[in-house]
């Protein structure tokens, strides 16, 4: 049975060409065949496509508390509390696969999407590819760091497959749950906070700009905790503080613009299908930036969302690309496209979730390899016959090819 879904789809050393092509092929064909385990209830447990890098992936979570500021959405909470998931290359696979999310978080996310005829804990049984608290691998200050920010109302786990891919290729990845902006954030003491911002009716441009600025403050605090003198993660010494970047989906993509503006430690950024309210200064930004979205919303010259990208684009003075994935829905750039396909849910996408995720992984990885590792990526230069779904846009001419 195919179901429709409401809120889950809401918008808001150098390698040669042969090695690059082989890597691209591995990413684009990953996850096409996988035997998912059956749950006791009879509903097959979902799974994430395996990452294509050569390294095992470890993961852990951090509870962080910023006592310098109150929570922006619940002012009676005098410190901003955040949960962060880390993924990283591991010395060897561990014994225990990491859980995808808690049963309560699964229940609340499905409820938010209006899904009532699936086991409420089904998403918590999603099979991941990372191992809990596996020992990190790498030399001191050798690993680039990428921060990920999810869409509004969505958990940080929606970007797990992207994080696993990057970690398997030698990155440390930190995904941030922006508390009270997500249907469920689970804390170590058993508390579960819900989405206060979802209940706000008047979400005009100024409100979204506030959210983007708030998320930028969250990201800067997380960077402090991972790269400062008293880092909160035992593997933090592996992070190269001169090679840090950010990507986000939807509101998280918009927040990437605000974060680059607010924090000079971020060298590059990616917006995945997110309309932007933050305005760059007239002097602009020279840091590399990639837009990757769906044609229905971000075709140049077509509507307010595309115009929000155009406002940013005109003030990007460095390397930049505007790419569109044909057939994509809003969920296609995250795990949700894959999981919805497996669970018989409909998100309106014209491209299978596994393919959309593989394409997203390929372009995101290529971008960070080029701009954090100085490895030129032909995939980013022009349209590729291997990825005919991706169109390169020239906003000044309102054309895409």
């Amino acid at each position: 049975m195919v179901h429709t879904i409401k809120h889950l789809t809401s918008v808001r050393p150098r390698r040669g060409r042969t090695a690059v092509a082989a890597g691209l092929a591995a990413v684009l064909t990953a996850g096409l065949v996988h035997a998912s385990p059956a749950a006791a209830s009879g509903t097959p447990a979902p799974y994430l496509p395996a990452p294509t890098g050569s390294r095992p992936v470890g993961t852990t979570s951090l509870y962080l508390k910023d006592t310098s500021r109150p929570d922006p959405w619940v002012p009676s909470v005098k410190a901003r509390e955040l949960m962060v998931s880390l993924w990283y290359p591991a010395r060897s696979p561990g014994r225990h696969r990491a859980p995808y999310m808690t049963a309560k978080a699964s229940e609340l996310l499905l409820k938010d999407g209006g899904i009532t005829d699936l086991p409420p804990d089904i998403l918590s049984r999603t099979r991941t590819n990372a191992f809990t608290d596996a020992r990190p691998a790498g030399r001191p200050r050798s690993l680039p760091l990428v921060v990920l920010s999810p869409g509004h109302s969505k958990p940080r786990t929606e970007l797990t497959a992207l994080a696993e891919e990057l970690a398997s290729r030698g990155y440390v990845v930190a995904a941030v749950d922006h508390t009270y902006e997500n249907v469920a954030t689970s804390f170590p003491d058993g508390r579960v906070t819900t989405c206060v911002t979802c209940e706000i009716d008047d979400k005009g441009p100024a409100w979204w700009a506030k959210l983007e600025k708030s998320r930028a403050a969250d990201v800067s605090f997380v960077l402090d905790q991972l790269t400062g003198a008293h880092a909160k993660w035992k593997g933090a010494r592996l992070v190269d503080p001169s090679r840090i970047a950010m990507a986000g989906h939807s509101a998280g993509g918009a927040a990437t613009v605000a974060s680059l503006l607010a924090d000079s430690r971020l060298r590059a950024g990616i917006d995945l299908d997110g309309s932007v309210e933050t305005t760059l200064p007239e002097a602009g930004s020279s840091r590399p930036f990639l837009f990757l979205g769906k044609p229905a919303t971000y075709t140049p010259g077509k509507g307010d969302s595309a115009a929000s990208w155009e406002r940013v684009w005109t003030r990007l003075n460095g390397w930049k690309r505007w790419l569109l994935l044909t057939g994509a829905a809003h969920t296609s750039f995250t795990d949700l496209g894959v999981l919805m396909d497996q669970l018989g849910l409909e998100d309106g996408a014209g491209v299978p979730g596994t393919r959309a995720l593989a394409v997203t992984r390929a372009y995101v990885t290529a971008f960070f390899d080029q701009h954090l590792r100085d490895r030129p990526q032909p995939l980013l230069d022009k349209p590729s016959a291997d990825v005919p779904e991706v169109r390169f846009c020239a906003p000044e001419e309102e054309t895409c090819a």
Side-chain angles (χ1 to χ4, degrees):
M1 181 178 182
V2 176
H3 310 274
T4 57
I5 192 164
K6 302 185 301 180
H7 306 299
L8 288 183
T9 60
S10 61
V11 173
R12 281 293 299 176
R14 298 181 179 175
R15 296 183 297 170
R17 286 181 177 267
T18 301
V20 170
L24 172 61
V27 174
L28 293 176
T29 58
L32 297 182
V33 178
H34 192 296
S36 61
S41 67
T43 302
Y47 62 89
L48 298 180
T52 66
S54 62
R55 307 177 191 185
V57 177
T59 186
T60 190
S61 61
L62 298 178
Y63 164 69
L64 303 176
K65 188 173 183 179
D66 185 357
T67 58
S68 71
R69 58 189 174 121
D71 190 274
W73 311 116
V74 184
S76 61
V77 178
K78 299 306 180 184
R80 179 66 162 162
E81 297 179 285
L82 299 172
M83 290 301 301
V84 177
S85 289
L86 295 176
W87 291 265
Y88 50 87
R91 295 187 182 185
S92 61
R95 291 180 295 176
H96 303 290
R97 298 253 181 177
Y100 187 65
M101 62 172 61
T102 65
K104 185 64 175 179
S106 173
E107 176 188 347
L108 292 176
L109 187 58
L110 290 176
K111 181 180 179 181
D112 182 66
I115 305 302
T116 59
D117 52 356
L118 288 173
D121 69 340
I122 187 65
L123 294 176
S124 70
R125 292 190 251 129
T126 300
R127 180 182 173 88
T128 70
N129 302 284
F131 297 91
T132 303
D133 293 324
R135 295 181 65 186
R139 293 173 285 103
R141 300 169 69 92
S142 67
L143 303 181
L145 170 64
V146 173
V147 180
L148 299 180
S149 179
H152 180 244
S153 83
K154 302 303 180 289
R156 66 191 189 275
T157 52
E158 76 159 355
L159 299 171
T160 296
L162 178 58
E164 290 179 341
E165 177 68 23
L166 289 166
S168 79
R169 294 176 173 271
Y171 290 84
V172 175
V173 183
V176 184
D177 252 354
H178 303 280
T179 312
Y180 299 114
E181 301 173 31
N182 168 22
V183 294
T185 299
S186 301
F187 288 91
D189 61 3
R191 287 177 299 137
V192 179
T193 59
T194 55
C195 190
V196 171
T197 56
C198 294
E199 306 305 319
I200 298 172
D201 294 326
D202 184 16
K203 293 188 178 75
W207 187 89
W208 286 107
K210 175 186 175 180
L211 180 137
E212 293 167 20
K213 185 176 180 179
S214 172
R215 288 193 173 202
D218 288 346
V219 169
S220 289
F221 176 67
V222 169
L223 293 183
D224 292 342
Q225 301 304 296
L226 291 176
T227 64
H230 303 286
K232 301 299 183 182
W233 177 47
K234 62 184 179 182
R237 64 183 182 83
L238 303 179
V239 173
D240 181 350
S242 70
R243 293 188 292 160
I244 302 175
M246 179 177 171
H249 172 244
S250 194
T256 298
V257 177
S259 296
L260 262 68
L261 185 60
D263 200 315
S264 62
R265 291 173 292 186
L266 294 167
R267 284 180 47 179
I270 300 176
D271 179 351
L272 300 172
D273 214 52
S275 301
V276 183
E277 293 299 337
T278 299
T279 301
L280 291 178
E282 284 191 27
S285 171
S286 61
R287 280 173 277 183
F289 203 87
L290 169 66
F291 287 112
L292 175 59
K294 61 183 185 299
T297 308
Y298 295 106
T299 296
K302 305 292 184 181
D304 292 342
S305 294
S308 80
W309 282 17
E310 290 164 358
R311 288 192 297 271
V312 176
W313 181 267
T314 58
R315 293 185 175 181
L316 292 173
N317 305 322
W319 189 102
K320 57 186 177 181
R321 295 289 186 273
W322 179 316
L323 309 182
L324 299 179
L325 174 55
T326 303
H330 193 52
T331 53
S332 298
F333 306 95
T334 73
D335 301 349
L336 296 179
V338 171
L339 299 179
M340 290 168 69
D341 282 357
Q342 293 174 21
L343 295 172
L345 305 174
E346 178 58 58
D347 64 358
V351 58
T354 51
R355 176 63 179 178
L357 178 62
V359 170
T360 301
R361 282 171 154 184
Y363 281 89
V364 170
T365 301
F367 176 85
F368 290 133
D369 279 353
Q370 177 156 318
H371 297 294
L372 294 184
R373 288 177 158 159
D374 298 322
R375 298 174 181 173
Q377 302 292 311
L379 182 66
L380 300 173
D381 292 339
K382 59 184 179 181
S384 168
D386 292 326
V387 201
E389 305 96 328
V390 172
R391 302 170 67 199
F392 282 58
C393 296
E396 300 86 352
E397 302 168 7
E398 296 188 357
T399 60
C400 298

